[in-house]
Amino acid sequence: WMADNYGPNSKPRFQAALGHPLSPKLRRDLEAGDLASAMQGLAAQVRLPRLKKLAERLAPAAQGTAVRVVSETEMQRLREQYYGEGGPGFAGLYVSNGGIRTVYLNREGGMDVHTLMHEMVHAATWQAMQNRSGPTYRQLDQLARKLRAAGLNPTATANADELLAEGLSNEAFRRELAQVNLDGTKETALQRFT
């Protein structure tokens, strides 16, 4: 499971950049459980070329992935179920449980471009990211640790999975990564990420 704590009471500074509301059509598609149509529509709605291409590349992950739009109360219950803690719900949550893949979106705080893209990155990369000893995961995990130690967004740098999702879906976070140099080299954190 992957969760993103961008609920009404906890909004990291990066969320606003892509917090553009989804169009009414996309909201209806998601409410109806039609993630494939929503992703196709999102690719048409997004204006930034890099994000448009990302939406197009993520669209195939919608096949075989369910979507549920839930209330804040239900998202809080899911948080307790998967995290064992109370508190405000999340904007989005990706769960792969027993072969059933589901993206949960918070109706009150997760029906925006960023949350949908972020959760779809999790859906598209979940299987590959399960190899915790593989080189990709280890490199992302090491980078997340260094960025967290450097004081970057603790949600975006919580672990390799979150770094991957934020690094691909959040333009404001990418701009910040482009400003950070690690280990005394000229290489930026964004260059290392990509």
Side-chain angles (χ1 to χ4, degrees):
W1 47 265
M2 298 286 112
D4 303 293
N5 190 5
Y6 299 124
N9 298 323
S10 178
K11 289 192 176 189
R13 57 190 161 153
F14 303 114
Q15 196 266 344
L18 287 175
H20 304 294
L22 296 171
S23 71
K25 165 86 169 82
L26 295 183
R27 291 176 69 94
R28 284 191 303 273
D29 287 344
L30 292 167
E31 291 276 0
D34 191 348
L35 187 55
S37 290
M39 287 307 297
Q40 290 170 354
L42 182 62
Q45 176 182 329
V46 173
R47 299 287 183 242
L48 293 173
R50 195 192 69 74
L51 289 176
K52 183 179 192 65
K53 185 174 183 174
L54 178 62
E56 291 167 351
R57 294 182 82 185
L58 292 173
Q63 299 300 322
T65 302
V67 63
R68 287 192 52 219
V69 179
V70 299
S71 68
E72 174 66 23
T73 302
E74 177 67 5
M75 194 60 89
Q76 287 178 5
R77 188 194 67 71
L78 290 165
R79 177 183 179 149
E80 290 172 13
Q81 178 180 345
Y82 291 103
Y83 278 81
E85 61 185 43
F90 297 115
L93 177 71
Y94 173 74
V95 176
S96 180
N97 190 3
I100 299 170
R101 303 176 336 163
T102 307
V103 168
Y104 293 93
L105 297 172
N106 185 327
R107 184 176 289 111
E108 288 86 33
M111 297 293 278
D112 58 65
V113 172
H114 173 252
T115 302
L116 180 55
M117 293 275 280
H118 182 106
E119 298 310 326
M120 286 305 299
V121 169
H122 287 312
T125 62
W126 176 256
Q127 190 66 39
M129 293 298 284
Q130 291 309 292
N131 183 4
R132 302 295 202 221
S133 61
T136 301
Y137 185 89
R138 285 185 319 192
Q139 289 170 359
L140 285 169
D141 187 55
Q142 181 181 34
L143 182 57
R145 290 171 196 253
K146 287 181 179 184
L147 293 169
R148 193 169 47 253
L152 269 72
N153 180 327
T155 301
T157 61
N159 55 48
D161 298 292
E162 291 305 317
L163 178 62
L164 181 59
E166 281 296 282
L168 291 176
S169 70
N170 189 326
E171 289 300 304
F173 182 62
R174 289 175 64 85
R175 284 192 296 275
E176 183 151 344
L177 290 176
Q179 301 301 312
V180 174
N181 295 87
L182 298 172
D183 305 326
T185 68
K186 291 183 179 183
E187 181 182 48
T188 69
L190 181 61
Q191 289 169 322
R192 191 170 300 177
F193 174 77
T194 56

